[in-house]
Amino acid sequence: MKLPKIVEDLTASFEKLPGIGQRSAQRLAFYLLRVPQRDLDSFATSLTNLKKQTKLCSICHNLTDQDQCSICGDVSRDSSQVCVVESFQDVLALEKAGNFHGVYHVLHGSISPLNNIGPDELYIDTLVTRIKKGIVKEVILATNTSLEGEATALYIKQALTGLPVQISRI
C-alpha cells in the first residue's frame, strides 16, 4: 500500500530528527492524523514559534526568549563564578542538580577537527571578553570528557592564560 505523499513527506521529515527511525516517524505521522485539530494547530504554532522566538542570551549564549536568560538575569547568582559547558542541555542538567549557584557560558559544541569545528565556531572569544571585564574570578570547565571536550578545555585554559582568573576542571 502506498501512503499519501503528504504522509510520506511528514514521515521523511520526522526521520531527520535524532533517534527517529522510519517506523517511529510513521507512528508519529499517524498519531498526528488522529489528534484533534486544535491540538495539531497548537503543535504547529509551537514549532513555528520555536525558531521565531528563541534566541541566545546576550551574555552566556544559553537559550532564552529575551535579551538575557533567566540565569544571567538572576541577581542572586554568583556572577564571579562561570561554568563553561558545551550545550544548553548541560545547563539544564546542572541546574536540575541544584548545586551550582554561579552563571554559565555555553559554547555550542566542542572542538572537533573531523567535523570541521574549530575554536572560531564556538563562543570562546566571548568567554575571553567576559573574563577580561574583571568580574569573573573562577572559570569551571565542564566540557565532556571525550577527546573533543578535553581538547576544548585545554584550548580554553590556554586562551585564559595570563588573565586574573582561577581555572578548574570538572
Side-chain angles (χ1 to χ4, degrees):
M1 175 182 139
K2 185 149 171 74
L3 293 171
K5 181 169 178 5
I6 191 68
V7 175
E8 287 180 353
D9 290 348
L10 181 59
T11 300
S13 293
F14 280 133
E15 283 182 61
K16 294 177 185 175
L17 297 173
I20 304 290
Q22 183 181 11
R23 289 176 63 179
S24 293
Q26 213 171 53
R27 268 195 305 273
L28 288 169
F30 291 149
Y31 168 79
L32 292 176
L33 283 170
R34 290 188 305 269
V35 299
Q37 186 63 45
R38 70 181 182 290
D39 292 347
L40 190 60
D41 291 343
S42 176
F43 181 68
T45 300
S46 294
L47 283 175
T48 302
N49 290 341
L50 178 68
K51 277 295 212 182
K52 287 181 180 177
Q53 296 176 7
T54 305
K55 53 187 171 183
L56 300 181
C57 174
S58 63
I59 298 171
C60 73
H61 308 290
N62 193 11
L63 291 181
T64 186
D65 56 0
Q66 301 170 355
D67 181 53
Q68 289 183 9
C69 70
S70 59
I71 295 170
C72 288
D74 184 349
V75 294
S76 70
R77 302 296 289 231
D78 181 2
S79 60
S80 72
Q81 194 176 49
V82 174
C83 183
V84 179
V85 296
E86 293 179 18
S87 71
F88 47 83
Q89 292 98 321
D90 297 329
V91 173
L92 291 174
L94 289 166
E95 284 298 292
K96 188 174 182 178
N99 297 328
F100 182 67
H101 302 290
V103 293
Y104 297 92
H105 188 87
V106 184
L107 298 171
H108 289 268
S110 58
I111 296 171
S112 178
L114 294 176
N115 294 315
N116 294 321
I117 300 172
D120 293 341
E121 281 74 46
L122 306 176
Y123 288 98
I124 296 172
D125 289 343
T126 56
L127 173 64
V128 173
T129 301
R130 276 178 88 178
I131 306 304
K132 286 181 178 178
K133 289 181 181 177
I135 298 168
V136 178
K137 303 296 179 219
E138 181 183 10
V139 173
I140 302 164
L141 300 174
T143 56
N144 291 321
T145 57
S146 65
L147 184 61
E148 293 85 359
E150 291 293 339
T152 304
L154 181 61
Y155 184 89
I156 292 170
K157 189 173 182 180
Q158 289 174 344
L160 298 179
T161 299
L163 297 176
V165 66
Q166 178 185 344
I167 302 168
S168 54
R169 177 84 167 112
I170 60 167

